């Protein structure tokens, strides 16, 4: 995590980064966009939310090598005229993730990226939307064999959104 924070500060030039006040303090569930902590000014509805669970610094959607692959994935999905939100997040308890996200925004479909997906490729009703968990783009950089699994999951999302 500290490598990721150092990268954000040194390479991306961010001033405020996601460190807790002390190394002993738990992070809880926190959401981050490309500019740092995600703090919307008003509650919004998105048709599609990409939520990337961070377990290591190299997993961020906003790192150049990951961003490149993720961009290709979105292009293949043909996401032209829909509201999309992309976030990294840290979680202590995955079961709280839907309620924590619901405090900030609402998504018709939420794609959860993880290196260790729990319910791989299954749509689950959580709150007002459908959630599906699959492998993260950073995981695909290490295991290209999982790309077919992810593409099948993204096709389910496209069908759900009518794309």
């Amino acid at each position: 995590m500290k490598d990721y924070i150092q990268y954000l500060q040194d390479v991306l030039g961010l001033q405020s980064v996601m460190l807790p006040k002390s190394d002993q303090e738990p992070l809880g569930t926190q959401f981050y966009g490309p500019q740092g902590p995600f703090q919307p000014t008003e509650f919004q509805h998105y048709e599609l939310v990409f939520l990337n669970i961070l377990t290591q610094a190299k997993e961020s959607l906003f790192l150049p090598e990951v961003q490149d692959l993720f961009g290709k994935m979105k292009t293949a999905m043909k996401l032209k005229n829909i509201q999309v939100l992309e976030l990294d997040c840290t979680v202590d308890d995955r079961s709280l993730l839907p309620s924590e996200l619901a405090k900030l925004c609402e998504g018709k479909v939420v794609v959860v990226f993880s290196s260790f997906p729990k319910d791989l490729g299954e749509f689950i009703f959580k709150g007002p939307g459908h959630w599906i968990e699959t492998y993260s783009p950073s995981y695909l950089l290490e295991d290209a064999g999982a790309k077919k699994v992810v593409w099948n999951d993204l096709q389910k999302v496209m069908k759900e959104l009518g794309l």
Side-chain angles (χ1 to χ4, degrees), residues 4 8 26 41 45 62 66 68 70 103 110 123 127 132 135 156:
Y4 175 66
L8 290 174
T41 55
H45 175 79
F62 310 113
V66 178
D68 183 50
F70 183 47
K103 293 176 186 176
V110 178
F123 269 115
I132 188 168
Y135 292 109
K156 293 175 189 175

Side-chain angles (χ1 to χ4, degrees), residues 4 8 10 12-13 16 25 27 44 54-55 57 59 82 87-88 94-95 107 116 124 131-132 138 148:
Y4 175 66
L8 290 174
D10 294 347
L12 298 180
S16 173
E25 187 178 322
L27 287 173
Q44 287 197 321
L54 296 174
T55 56
E59 294 177 339
I82 66 170
L87 297 172
D88 281 339
R94 278 182 154 178
S95 67
F116 307 101
I124 299 173
W131 288 55
I132 188 168
S138 62
K148 184 174 182 176

Side-chain angles (χ1 to χ4, degrees), residues 27-31 53-54 89-94 96-97:
L27 287 173
T29 303
Q30 297 184 25
F31 300 94
I53 298 175
L54 296 174
C89 72
T90 57
V91 294
D92 285 337
D93 182 354
R94 278 182 154 178
L96 299 177
L97 196 54

Side-chain angles (χ1 to χ4, degrees), residues 147-161:
K147 286 182 179 180
K148 184 174 182 176
V149 172
V150 174
W151 179 239
N152 287 336
D153 295 342
L154 294 179
Q155 287 178 318
K156 293 175 189 175
V157 170
M158 293 163 57
K159 184 176 181 182
E160 183 69 26
L161 293 171

Side-chain angles (χ1 to χ4, degrees), residues 6-162:
Q6 193 65 43
Y7 171 83
L8 290 174
Q9 290 172 335
D10 294 347
V11 178
L12 298 180
L14 297 178
Q15 300 300 314
S16 173
V17 195
M18 61 182 158
L19 274 179
K21 292 177 185 164
S22 75
D23 288 338
Q24 308 305 319
E25 187 178 322
L27 287 173
T29 303
Q30 297 184 25
F31 300 94
Y32 304 94
Q35 304 302 320
F38 178 68
Q39 299 170 332
T41 55
E42 63 184 43
F43 188 86
Q44 287 197 321
H45 175 79
Y46 296 91
E47 291 177 75
L48 179 59
V49 176
F50 289 107
L51 194 55
N52 184 53
I53 298 175
L54 296 174
T55 56
Q56 302 177 48
K58 65 181 180 176
E59 294 177 339
S60 174
L61 287 177
F62 310 113
L63 293 173
E65 58 275 7
V66 178
Q67 199 170 31
D68 183 50
L69 177 58
F70 183 47
K72 291 175 182 174
M73 293 163 66
K74 292 184 298 184
T75 299
M77 291 178 74
K78 301 177 180 138
L79 305 174
K80 293 204 184 219
N81 297 316
I82 66 170
Q83 287 254 349
V84 178
L85 177 64
E86 303 163 6
L87 297 172
D88 281 339
C89 72
T90 57
V91 294
D92 285 337
D93 182 354
R94 278 182 154 178
S95 67
L96 299 177
L97 196 54
S99 61
E100 292 295 319
L101 182 64
K103 293 176 186 176
L104 303 174
C105 67
E106 181 179 286
K108 180 178 178 183
V109 177
V110 178
V111 177
V112 178
F113 288 130
S114 171
S115 293
F116 307 101
K118 296 213 179 225
D119 298 307
L120 184 63
E122 295 180 36
F123 269 115
I124 299 173
F125 286 104
K126 293 185 180 183
H130 290 94
W131 288 55
I132 188 168
E133 193 165 343
T134 194
Y135 292 109
S136 66
S138 62
Y139 181 84
L140 298 178
L141 292 173
E142 306 219 356
D143 181 2
K147 286 182 179 180
K148 184 174 182 176
V149 172
V150 174
W151 179 239
N152 287 336
D153 295 342
L154 294 179
Q155 287 178 318
K156 293 175 189 175
V157 170
M158 293 163 57
K159 184 176 181 182
E160 183 69 26
L161 293 171

